[in-house]
Amino acid sequence: TVDQIDINWPSGTTQTLYTYSADQKITIIEPSGLCDCVPGEADGTPPINILDVVYLINYKYKSGPAPTPYALCNGDADCNCAVNILDVVYVINYKYKSGPAPCDCATWVANCGTLQK
């Protein structure tokens, strides 16, 4: 089943979320509000650096622990709603080749919907 949830935030932002099962647990963060996720900060210890690159590689290819505190958001540097090799390349380009910074939490939530721990 698909359930639609319309949220009107105090900031004036309106957000529509869709859940696909009754038992799906989600935590909703206001897109324009304060978020505690830093996309690309995979190991949970700022700033974004080579340790995050190693953490992502270990997670994706060596059965290492998931990014923290949000497995998807913290690992998804390019805000495409997935954690994959593109995020590793994105962080390397950002840190060592003057590439664009990872997206911010509000952008991630706007693109991907919710934060789940």
Side-chain angles (χ1 to χ4, degrees):
T1 63
V2 176
D3 295 315
Q4 179 178 332
I5 303 167
D6 292 315
I7 301 168
N8 294 308
W9 298 102
S11 66
T13 302
T14 301
Q15 182 179 21
T16 301
L17 301 175
Y18 299 93
T19 58
Y20 295 94
S21 68
D23 61 345
Q24 184 180 30
K25 296 179 182 178
I26 58 174
T27 300
I28 304 166
I29 307 296
E30 181 178 1
S32 63
L34 300 174
C35 292
D36 62 349
C37 171
V38 179
E41 179 48 66
D43 69 359
T45 57
I48 296 173
N49 55 32
I50 191 66
L51 298 177
D52 297 298
V53 172
V54 172
Y55 200 96
L56 285 170
I57 291 169
N58 284 333
Y59 169 62
K60 289 305 296 177
Y61 304 104
K62 304 254 183 193
S63 300
T68 185
Y70 302 100
L72 183 55
C73 180
N74 281 86
D76 185 16
D78 61 2
C79 277
N80 72 347
C81 309
V83 179
N84 53 38
I85 191 65
L86 298 175
D87 298 298
V88 173
V89 172
Y90 199 97
V91 173
I92 291 170
N93 284 335
Y94 166 62
K95 288 306 294 179
Y96 304 104
K97 298 191 175 220
S98 301
C103 63
D104 60 18
C105 185
T107 301
W108 191 91
V109 170
N111 289 350
C112 302
T114 62
L115 294 173
Q116 297 177 330
K117 285 196 177 188

